């Protein structure tokens, strides 16, 4: 498998392996070595936010919280609204006992995701700890190795099995959040712009907006890239590169009959 990967992809797997060894053994030497590899990659790819997040995580695990803050802030300068970076920044502040700064970050996250119970609860917990004059918390940043099929997202070799796992995750999210009549159409090998199209019916415009946010909240930290989102009151299209997601009102879905159009391509 490794022989089919380029140098950058092998570097990524080496970094993840070292982080995994560090987590299992609690030996900071593995995190130190991972940071050396990360720094080499950052030197040639300064705008790669994943690399900054990995470095921040390694520093966090070594309890070098102030250095981790600097790294996460560097990542934030690339994407000021990146949910993963903001979460990591807030938790790092909490581990330094800077609960007021953590609360500000959670408030920003709530502006980005107003209905998120996760951030509502996190803000409440930080306020409670500050009120109780706690020195710090023992909250931890989620390991990049615990993110579902992380490695498959981080490397570019996305085979058929990986594509199916990604599609299943998308369908599971839509189903959980009450999207209706969810269909997945396989177009691999056909003369079409993507490998797979997922179509779902929404209850209303607000429901469609919420579905987009849920997809972004769950899939972005896993490495999924949202290349483009085109939305209107009745039809939202999400471009993930090799997957298109259509969220449509019942009226538009009945009117435009996308399934029939795609079936004609396959025939």
């Amino acid at each position: 498998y490794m022989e089919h990967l380029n140098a950058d992809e092998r570097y990524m797997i080496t970094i993840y392996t070292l982080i995994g060894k560090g987590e299992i053994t609690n030996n900071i030497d593995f995190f130190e070595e991972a940071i050396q590899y990360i720094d080499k990659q950052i030197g040639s790819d300064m705008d790669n936010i994943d690399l900054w997040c990995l470095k921040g995580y390694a520093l966090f695990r070594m309890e070098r919280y102030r250095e981790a803050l600097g790294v996460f802030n560097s990542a934030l300068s690339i994407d000021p609204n990146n949910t993963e970076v903001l979460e990591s920044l807030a938790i790092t502040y909490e581990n330094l006992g800077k609960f007021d700064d953590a609360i500000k970050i959670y408030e920003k996250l709530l502006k980005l995701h107003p209905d998120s119970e996760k951030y509502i609860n996190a803000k409440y917990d930080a306020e409670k700890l500050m009120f109780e004059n706690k020195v710090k918390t023992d909250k931890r940043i989620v390991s990049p190795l615990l993110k579902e099929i992380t490695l498959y997202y981080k490397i570019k070799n996305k085979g058929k099995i990986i594509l199916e796992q990604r599609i299943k995750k998308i369908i599971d999210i839509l189903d959980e959040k009450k999207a209706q009549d969810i269909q997945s159409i396989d177009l691999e090998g056909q003369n079409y712009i993507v490998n797979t199209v997922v179509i779902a019916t929404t209850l209303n415009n607000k429901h469609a907006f919420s579905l987009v946010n849920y997809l972004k909240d769950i899939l972005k930290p896993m490495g999924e890239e949202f290349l483009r989102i085109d939305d209107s009151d009745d039809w939202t299209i999400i471009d993930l590169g090799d997957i298109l997601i259509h969220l449509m009102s019942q009226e538009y879905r009945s009117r435009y009959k996308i399934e029939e159009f795609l079936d004609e391509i396959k025939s």
Side-chain angles (χ1 to χ4, degrees), residues 6-247:
N6 63 37
D8 287 344
E9 293 165 347
R10 292 181 186 181
Y11 251 79
M12 289 301 296
I13 289 182
T14 300
I15 290 166
Y16 277 99
T17 301
L18 288 168
I19 287 175
K21 286 181 177 179
E23 291 178 344
I24 292 170
T25 64
N26 286 320
N27 185 337
I28 66 170
D29 290 342
F30 289 118
F31 292 115
E32 287 277 16
E33 190 175 354
I35 289 173
Q36 292 175 17
Y37 276 93
I38 294 167
D39 282 340
K40 289 179 182 178
Q41 289 294 91
I42 287 176
S44 59
D45 192 3
M46 290 288 292
D47 292 331
N48 188 327
I49 199 166
D50 290 332
L51 291 171
W52 288 103
C53 287
L54 286 170
K55 182 176 181 178
Y57 175 76
L59 289 167
F60 182 94
R61 285 300 303 260
M62 296 165 68
E63 299 186 0
R64 290 160 57 178
Y65 300 130
R66 294 190 183 279
E67 291 177 71
L69 278 181
V71 170
F72 288 131
N73 276 309
S74 294
L76 212 58
S77 68
I78 300 169
D79 181 2
N81 294 325
N82 185 287
T83 298
E84 179 183 355
V85 178
L86 288 167
E87 284 184 19
S88 298
L89 197 58
I91 293 170
T92 305
Y93 275 129
E94 290 187 75
N95 276 266
L96 283 168
K98 295 179 175 290
F99 297 111
D100 52 343
D101 290 317
I103 290 167
K104 291 176 184 177
I105 299 296
Y106 289 128
E107 287 173 347
K108 180 173 181 178
L109 283 163
L110 282 168
K111 287 181 180 178
L112 296 171
H113 311 283
D115 299 324
S116 173
E117 291 186 12
K118 176 182 178 181
Y119 300 134
I120 292 171
N121 292 333
K123 179 174 178 285
Y124 171 79
D125 290 341
E127 289 171 337
K128 182 179 178 183
L129 290 168
M130 184 170 65
F131 178 77
E132 294 172 353
N133 292 317
K134 297 292 184 182
V135 176
K136 64 176 186 176
T137 181
D138 58 357
K139 189 184 290 187
R140 291 289 174 261
I141 297 172
V142 176
S143 166
L145 301 182
L146 293 179
K147 296 171 187 174
E148 193 171 346
I149 58 173
T150 295
L151 284 180
Y152 292 132
Y153 280 111
K154 299 304 177 186
I155 61 179
K156 299 172 184 176
N157 185 21
K158 299 176 181 176
K160 178 67 175 176
I161 294 175
I162 312 313
L163 181 62
E164 289 175 354
Q165 290 175 329
R166 293 166 61 214
I167 294 165
K168 182 180 183 302
K169 186 65 179 178
I170 290 166
I171 291 173
D172 287 346
I173 296 169
L174 293 173
D175 181 60
E176 180 184 350
K177 300 305 178 183
K178 310 303 181 185
Q180 299 178 345
D181 193 13
I182 305 165
Q183 292 190 37
S184 169
I185 300 173
D186 182 6
L187 295 165
E188 189 169 1
Q190 306 297 323
N191 187 23
Y192 196 62
I193 56 175
V194 294
N195 290 330
T196 305
V197 174
V198 177
I199 308 169
T201 301
T202 60
L203 302 177
N204 49 49
N205 183 39
K206 184 178 179 180
H207 184 221
F209 179 79
S210 296
L211 288 173
V212 172
N213 282 335
Y214 285 126
L215 289 166
K216 289 168 68 176
D217 285 350
I218 296 171
L219 298 179
K220 268 193 169 184
M222 293 167 56
E224 197 71 73
E225 295 183 33
F226 285 67
L227 302 180
R228 184 182 177 90
I229 299 176
D230 294 316
D231 57 358
S232 65
D233 289 345
D234 292 283
W235 192 347
T236 298
I237 303 172
I238 304 170
D239 182 1
L240 302 180
D242 52 357
I243 302 172
L244 275 184
I245 304 172
H246 293 268
L247 305 176

